[in-house]
Amino acid sequence: MRRSIAPTLLLAGALALPVTAPAGVIFTLLPTSGEVAGDPGDTVGWGFTLSNDTAYWLWANGSVFDLDKGPSWGTYDDYSGNSDPVAPGTAQNPTVLTVLFSLLDGTGAGSFAIDPTVPFGDQATGVISLDYDIYDANPSGGGLDPIDSARVQADAVVTSTPEAGTWTLLGLGLAALGGGRRRRSAARHPADGPDPSAAPRKSLRPW
């Protein structure tokens, strides 16, 4: 009996896990570079697009941010469950859901609160994974079970901006560099003056 139950449980567990997204589903973070920046203690975040050229409806049900520096660098908060379902599309005309990031409205892929102790100018990289359910009809009305689930991923970067003093010093350095170049240019090309080789002008005085 145990031998017959074990494979069944394993199969059920495998089906419960999100599978790799099928061809025709494209997940893109906004900004498209995947990079956001803020001071230590700030909260930043990403919007996203989900492009669908399959014959099924897609509905995001959660996202996670796997950060290379661990949870001590900051805290991720998932917003993707607040988005609408994505209607079927075609390869020639995919349906694209665009969700802008808004901390106030709680929309986008999610927000990231940079820990106040993070050093200025530090950077962390990672991957945002978006899980979604697949339906064979519009799930907005409720009462419809998904036929499958899948996962899409995109690279993400969070940068802790340099201290304000660092920006000031950088600006002063660039200004000094520009001033030095102008002085060297003036030394090589002096302002036009009287031509010493020209004949002296005759005096108009009668005496």
Side-chain angles (χ1 to χ4, degrees):
M1 186 67 177
R2 291 182 180 177
R3 291 182 180 178
S4 62
I5 292 176
T8 304
L9 293 176
L10 290 174
L11 178 60
L15 292 175
L17 294 175
V19 298
T20 303
V25 180
I26 301 174
F27 172 58
T28 306
L29 290 174
L30 300 175
T32 54
S33 65
E35 182 173 352
V36 294
D39 292 337
D42 284 353
T43 298
V44 295
W46 299 264
F48 72 94
T49 64
L50 194 61
S51 176
N52 178 22
D53 72 8
T54 72
Y56 301 96
W57 288 77
L58 314 178
W59 204 354
N61 63 24
S63 66
V64 293
F65 185 21
D66 294 316
L67 195 66
D68 63 354
K69 295 195 175 180
S72 62
W73 212 85
T75 305
Y76 182 74
D77 190 11
D78 169 39
Y79 290 172
S80 64
N82 298 329
S83 60
D84 296 323
V86 190
T90 64
Q92 294 75 25
N93 188 25
T95 303
V96 180
L97 172 71
T98 300
V99 185
L100 301 179
F101 171 69
S102 171
L103 184 62
L104 179 63
D105 298 330
T107 60
S111 66
F112 188 82
I114 305 173
D115 192 272
T117 63
V118 168
F120 283 96
D122 200 8
Q123 189 176 72
T125 59
V127 174
I128 291 181
S129 301
L130 177 75
D131 295 330
Y132 64 91
D133 292 326
I134 301 172
Y135 296 83
D136 56 8
N138 188 347
S140 297
L144 191 64
D145 293 329
I147 60 174
D148 206 345
S149 61
R151 168 173 289 184
V152 280
Q153 296 180 321
D155 293 332
V157 181
V158 183
T159 300
S160 170
T161 52
E163 290 183 271
T166 303
W167 287 116
T168 301
L169 290 175
L170 179 60
L172 291 174
L174 291 174
L177 181 62
R181 287 180 176 175
R182 285 194 296 271
R183 286 193 294 272
R184 288 194 296 272
S185 177
R188 287 195 300 267
H189 305 285
D192 294 336
D195 187 354
S197 63
R201 298 176 61 183
K202 294 182 179 180
S203 174
L204 298 179
R205 295 177 182 177
W207 59 84

